[in-house]
Amino acid sequence: MDQDELQRITTLPDYLPSPQVEKELASLLRSFRNGVPTPAEKWMMMQALSQLADRQWQTYEILPHAARKRLSAFAIGVWDRGDLASTALMLAIIRSLGLADALAYAVSVDPATLETAIAARIRHAYAAFGDTVGNPYALIKQRQQQR
């Protein structure tokens, strides 16, 4: 992953058909397999995943379970546990893609090993997402039912 690839992803249309988003996500996953990324590359990968997560969310389709498991592992792999911005971005990605495994992992990290603000952000996300983390559209459905 380099700046040019991140720029390409950033300039993709806001709405992409689900198959094209899945193709872009698969390409991003493959880029992680090309050696050990530097911290700067991990940050770019996290930003790229965030961009693609937003586009996937716009399809109103839940990704297959296997894809969400792979993306959870990817998000965990590029997450900088010492950086609040990285944590916030990962939590937004978790919500957009329904990455229950990534949230479970983040919650399982010993809070004593994290900065206070990072541990608090994870606890807050866990409380907010609750049982709906696997379905990024659950809150929309709940709001519709309340009308």
Side-chain angles (χ1 to χ4, degrees):
M1 166 72 48
D2 60 20
Q3 195 63 43
D4 290 340
E5 181 62 8
L6 177 58
Q7 182 63 33
R8 185 191 69 76
I9 290 170
T10 301
T11 59
L12 289 170
D14 288 341
Y15 175 79
L16 293 173
S18 189
Q20 188 174 353
V21 176
E22 289 181 33
K23 179 182 168 191
E24 292 288 346
L25 287 167
S27 176
L28 182 61
L29 288 172
R30 282 190 302 276
S31 74
F32 190 68
R33 295 182 191 148
N34 296 333
V36 177
T38 67
E41 289 170 328
K42 285 183 177 184
W43 177 242
M44 284 188 280
M45 288 176 177
M46 183 71 82
Q47 290 175 306
L49 181 56
S50 174
Q51 290 288 320
L52 294 173
D54 288 346
R55 284 155 179 87
Q56 173 59 38
W57 192 87
Q58 294 293 332
T59 69
Y60 295 97
E61 296 178 21
I62 297 174
L63 286 169
H65 180 72
R68 286 183 285 144
K69 288 191 88 52
R70 287 189 304 273
L71 289 165
S72 284
F74 179 86
I76 290 164
V78 297
W79 174 37
D80 179 351
R81 292 159 189 75
D83 184 64
L84 185 58
S86 179
T87 300
L89 201 53
M90 184 185 71
L91 293 170
I93 291 164
I94 287 170
R95 168 48 60 203
S96 294
L97 295 178
L99 303 183
D101 289 351
L103 181 62
Y105 177 81
V107 169
S108 76
V109 173
D110 182 358
T113 65
L114 300 170
E115 291 181 25
T116 304
I118 292 171
R121 181 69 65 100
I122 293 169
R123 279 193 313 275
H124 176 75
Y126 182 71
F129 300 166
D131 296 350
T132 66
V133 68
N135 181 353
Y137 309 104
L139 293 177
I140 294 171
K141 189 173 185 174
Q142 287 173 356
R143 287 183 191 133
Q144 288 174 340
Q145 290 173 348
Q146 291 172 353
R147 291 183 186 170

